[in-house]
Structures are given as C-alpha cells and as structure tokens.
Amino acid sequence: MAKSQLTFNKKERAKKKQQKKQEKQERREINKSNNNKGKSLEEMFAYVDEFGNISDTPPTQVYKFKEEDLHRPADIEDEFLYGKVSYYNETGNYGFIRDNETRETVYFNDKLAGMVLTLNQKVKYKYTRTKQGNQISEVELM
C-alpha cells in the first residue's frame, strides 16, 4: 500500500497560503469600496468660513471685508528699541547691546555703528537678522 505524499506540514502551509490569498482579496474589496478616486470636482471642494471652520457646503452669504482687515500691522522693526552696551572689546572694536525689555543681545562693531560706543552706554537702536545672528542697522546715543 502506498503512503500519502501529503504530510501535516504541507497541509498547514497550503492552508496558510490559501488564508493569505483570502485576506488579500478581502482587503482589495474594502479598498475598492472606499476608493476616493474619480470624484467630481465639486465633491472634492472644502469651504472655510470666516471663523476658520471647514465644511463641504458653500457659504450662504459672501464675506465682506472690514476696513481693519485690509491694513497691515506696523512692523516691529520700524520702531527703535532701547538698550545699553553690555560688552565691548576695545582691541577688536566690537560688542553687544542688551535690550532693556527682552534681554536679548545684538552684535555691533564700530563700522556698523558709525561711532565708537563704550561699556554701559545707553542707546536707541534698530537691528536686522542675518545668518550669523542679530546685527544692528542703526544706533543713536541717548
């Protein structure tokens, strides 16, 4: 009598393979039913109301701009800041100005300042951001 060629391991592998195929087919069916491709343009639109809420229905009335919406706020860089020279290197002719309010430091040298500043001198200044850090652009003595 001939012995069967199918062993327990072969049967189990075949079952697992068939189960994976079945799971893959089920995932395909789910993805097909949830497919968002091919929607019309109107179905893909999202509308934002004046309060920032997103909805799929268009607004009933057109938003009218107020006069204050059209004005840009004044730049902080347009105003002078107040501080004092917190560090000065006489051999290198450079130093730092510490802001009175934020306590941030701004770099300066004699060429940028256009004058020689001394330690603990009170100044009124403007600065710009550079890749090396903040540098003064204008300085006035107080």
Side-chain angles (χ1 to χ4, degrees):
M1 196 155 144
K3 202 172 187 184
S4 173
Q5 293 295 318
L6 288 176
T7 62
F8 180 76
N9 266 346
K10 287 183 181 178
K11 287 179 186 177
E12 286 298 312
R13 276 189 261 143
K15 279 183 188 177
K16 284 183 183 178
K17 195 173 183 181
Q18 186 64 31
Q19 188 178 5
K20 282 186 181 180
K21 274 187 180 180
Q22 183 68 32
E23 288 173 0
K24 189 174 182 179
Q25 185 64 31
E26 288 172 3
R27 283 195 305 258
R28 278 188 187 160
E29 294 297 325
I30 289 171
N31 288 342
K32 273 189 181 180
S33 64
N34 294 338
N35 189 1
N36 289 337
K37 292 182 181 176
K39 282 187 175 180
S40 67
L41 185 61
E42 287 77 23
E43 291 175 351
M44 291 190 284
F45 277 146
Y47 301 95
V48 180
D49 65 2
E50 61 183 301
F51 304 109
N53 300 323
I54 299 173
S55 68
D56 56 351
T57 58
T60 55
Q61 56 185 340
V62 178
Y63 179 75
K64 293 189 172 121
F65 287 98
K66 300 173 191 135
E67 189 65 31
E68 56 265 11
D69 290 342
L70 301 176
H71 293 295
R72 292 176 68 185
D75 286 338
I76 296 171
E77 296 173 0
D78 289 344
E79 300 175 9
F80 275 96
L81 301 169
Y82 297 94
K84 74 177 188 176
V85 178
S86 62
Y87 175 80
Y88 185 72
N89 185 331
E90 292 179 6
T91 58
N93 296 327
Y94 70 91
F96 294 94
I97 298 173
R98 182 177 298 264
D99 192 281
N100 289 343
E101 293 177 13
T102 62
R103 311 304 287 169
E104 289 182 347
T105 58
V106 180
Y107 171 81
F108 76 91
N109 61 31
D110 290 347
K111 287 183 183 177
L112 287 173
M115 63 183 85
V116 177
L117 299 175
T118 58
L119 193 61
N120 294 328
Q121 195 170 23
K122 293 183 180 180
V123 292
K124 187 164 79 166
Y125 69 97
K126 290 184 184 180
Y127 74 92
T128 58
R129 293 185 183 264
T130 63
K131 60 183 176 182
Q132 288 88 12
N134 295 337
Q135 277 186 359
I136 62 163
S137 57
E138 293 180 44
V139 174
E140 293 178 14
L141 296 175
M142 290 182 56

